[in-house]
Amino acid sequence: MLAILRRLGERCSDLSEEYIPDPYVIAILLTFVAAAAAIATGAGPREIMGAWNGGVWTLLPFMASIAVLLMAGDAIAKSPKFTAQLEKLARVPNSQFTAVWFVGFAAMAAALVSWAIGLIVGAIMAKRVAYECREKGIAVHYPLLAAAGYTSLMIYHGGLTSSVGLMMADASLIPASWAAQYRATIPLSETVGSLPNIVTTGTLLAVIPVLMALLHPKEGISELPRPDYREIDAIVAASASESPTAPGAGPDPEATTDGGRVRVADRLNDSRLIGLSIALFPAYFVLNAWVLTPGGISNLTLNSINALFVTVAVLLWVRPMALVDQMKQSVSNISGVIFQFPFYAGIAGILTGTGLATLIVEFVGGFATPTTWPVVGVLVAAFVNVFIPSGGGQWVAMGPIMLELTQQMGMSARDAVLIEMLGDQLSNMIQPFWAIPLLAIANLRARDIIGYTTVAMLVGLVVVCGWLTLFLVVL
């Protein structure tokens, strides 16, 4: 069995290297695939163009929230204190198996707190573990380490930043265009906090890191590239000899006039008091939402999580300009996501504006029974996610029809959300849109990791379908 898994991983890796283009090219190709499918179902070119234009800017508020989440998560993960802890953890693995397992487990566990942090932790841990293994003389396949880091995106819906769960928990985020019967809120305690989600997510956390470790090739190992190794080596040496001047540790030593006097403007830019004081505002937002307002976990929303992450980022970086400088790097890492988001919103517009999304769900749902619907629903959610790789964006497009079909099967609206949450995240393993920040940090291409993550998706599909069938049908 182990040999079969390893051969499958190697075969998928070979195919991805041959055929998987850049994520932006994939977005372009998917746009034309969606348009062609719409034409095949009777839509005209003008209708398709209008649908694309009608959808392309609809997700801008959601995109802005996601951008803040990614930037804050990136800033947290790269803060000196947080990075120091990651460095210590990266020294733990002492074999090929433990190295891959450790990166996968750390990334997936971090994603349960925030999918943004999970992505960044996965990328940084892959790079640091690869560095430490090279220092120890352990030959570890670097693309597989990065792939293990990306598995964070096949578990995040089970955690605190589940976009679908958060959307349904906040009445202000549910689209006003939905019919009234579909706009009822569902608290996170019934979705993220439910037993089916906890068990399924826990199983994925236990199984997937082990699976990724078992996929390690015996031959053709690509270790951390020499330029990346030298870059980390320089950082390690600098941190050991110049720790007092690490970001956030003190004022910029170059922020002086010719006479050696520190400028007033630079004193303000480096003021710890000013840097920390602004944290009062987002911190109060979190306190008010989670403590002062009754409701507990049901008050957990995307806005409150963003406020929490902004607070933590401010506290970790301390000095205003240190945080500003880091945010410039963070924006660079997520620029591909920001740029491509409108294109996927346009694809969502084609799917919804031409009725294609409804046709897809209804067509596949026509083959389902109350017994098979959890499996069919998961497959539908995973398939549509390839075209709309945003959990929230996808739910906007197909939420009403998923809710209706699930209730027709005798299940609750909560069950529809669970099916969408746990199914949507699986195909992230073959859709590299959200891998862009990770790939930017790891200095890899999408095709370097997709082969391995495809195997993870297939195993995850079995886990998710098995548990949902048991909980929603058998029990």
Side-chain angles (χ1 to χ4, degrees), residues 14 17 96 113 118 139 208 281 302 308 354 369 378 386 438 469:
D14 291 340
E17 290 182 6
Q96 291 177 339
V113 178
I208 298 302
F281 293 91
L302 184 57
L308 175 63
T354 65
T369 65
V378 163
V386 174
L438 178 142
T469 299

Side-chain angles (χ1 to χ4, degrees), residues 300-321:
L300 195 67
T301 63
L302 184 57
N303 287 337
S304 63
I305 290 175
N306 269 343
L308 175 63
F309 285 3
V310 169
T311 302
V312 174
V314 167
L315 294 177
L316 285 174
W317 283 95
V318 185
R319 297 188 295 114
M321 289 311 297

Side-chain angles (χ1 to χ4, degrees), residues 1 5 97 100-101 104-105 108 148 151 154-155 199-215 455-464 467:
M1 185 64 182
L5 281 174
F97 182 94
V100 179
W101 174 89
F105 185 85
M108 295 181 83
T151 56
M154 68 175 293
I155 196 175
V199 172
T200 304
T201 299
T203 304
L204 290 173
L205 182 60
V207 171
I208 298 302
V210 174
L211 169 70
M212 300 303 287
L214 293 175
L215 294 178
V455 180
M457 181 194 71
L458 295 175
V459 174
L461 182 65
V462 174
V463 171
V464 170
W467 279 122

Side-chain angles (χ1 to χ4, degrees), residues 61-350:
F62 183 70
M63 183 190 76
S65 295
I66 294 301
V68 171
L69 190 67
L70 273 173
M71 288 189 295
D74 186 66
I76 291 170
K78 292 182 179 176
S79 64
K81 292 181 180 179
F82 197 92
T83 301
Q85 299 306 312
L86 290 183
E87 290 174 4
K88 293 178 182 178
L89 291 173
R91 300 188 187 105
V92 173
N94 54 12
S95 68
Q96 291 177 339
F97 182 94
T98 55
V100 179
W101 174 89
F102 192 81
V103 171
F105 185 85
M108 295 181 83
L112 294 179
V113 178
S114 161
W115 62 267
I117 290 182
L119 261 182
I120 306 307
V121 166
I124 293 176
M125 285 298 292
K127 210 166 187 177
R128 297 303 299 231
V129 168
Y131 169 82
E132 294 295 339
C133 285
R134 192 155 187 166
E135 286 281 281
K136 297 175 183 177
I138 303 171
V140 178
H141 195 47
Y142 182 48
L144 180 58
L145 285 174
Y150 187 49
T151 56
S152 61
L153 262 289
M154 68 175 293
I155 196 175
Y156 84 96
H157 263 310
L160 300 180
T161 54
S162 168
S163 51
V164 176
L166 290 170
M167 181 179 291
M168 293 306 295
D170 188 341
S172 67
L173 295 178
I174 299 176
S177 58
W178 284 14
Q181 65 266 32
Y182 305 127
R183 294 206 303 268
T185 59
I186 304 173
L188 284 180
S189 57
E190 295 184 16
T191 53
V192 173
S194 68
L195 183 61
N197 177 65
I198 292 173
V199 172
T200 304
T201 299
T203 304
L204 290 173
L205 182 60
V207 171
I208 298 302
V210 174
L211 169 70
M212 300 303 287
L214 293 175
L215 294 178
H216 199 287
K218 291 185 176 180
E219 300 176 350
I221 297 174
S222 299
E223 296 185 71
L224 181 70
R226 180 62 62 177
D228 295 282
Y229 175 83
R230 287 197 292 264
E231 176 189 344
I232 298 176
D233 204 39
I235 293 173
V236 171
S239 64
S241 61
E242 301 179 10
S243 56
T245 60
D252 184 351
E254 298 181 0
T256 60
T257 63
D258 293 338
R261 181 178 60 83
V262 178
R263 303 181 185 94
V264 173
D266 292 315
R267 287 183 182 276
L268 294 175
N269 289 340
D270 290 317
S271 170
R272 292 169 175 265
L273 178 61
I274 291 177
L276 292 174
S277 63
I278 192 62
L280 290 172
F281 293 91
Y284 176 77
F285 188 105
V286 176
L287 180 66
N288 182 63
W290 296 358
V291 179
L292 302 181
T293 303
I297 193 174
S298 63
N299 294 326
L300 195 67
T301 63
L302 184 57
N303 287 337
S304 63
I305 290 175
N306 269 343
L308 175 63
F309 285 3
V310 169
T311 302
V312 174
V314 167
L315 294 177
L316 285 174
W317 283 95
V318 185
R319 297 188 295 114
M321 289 311 297
L323 181 57
V324 168
D325 291 340
Q326 174 53 46
M327 283 300 178
K328 292 177 182 177
Q329 298 179 33
S330 299
V331 170
S332 175
N333 288 336
I334 69 168
S335 59
V337 172
I338 295 174
F339 176 68
Q340 293 180 38
F341 216 103
F343 288 93
Y344 281 105
I347 295 174
I350 293 175

Side-chain angles (χ1 to χ4, degrees), residues 13-32:
S13 179
D14 291 340
L15 290 173
S16 68
E17 290 182 6
E18 178 69 25
Y19 296 108
I20 301 297
D22 184 82
Y24 177 51
V25 176
I26 291 176
I28 295 173
L29 295 176
L30 288 176
T31 299
F32 285 103

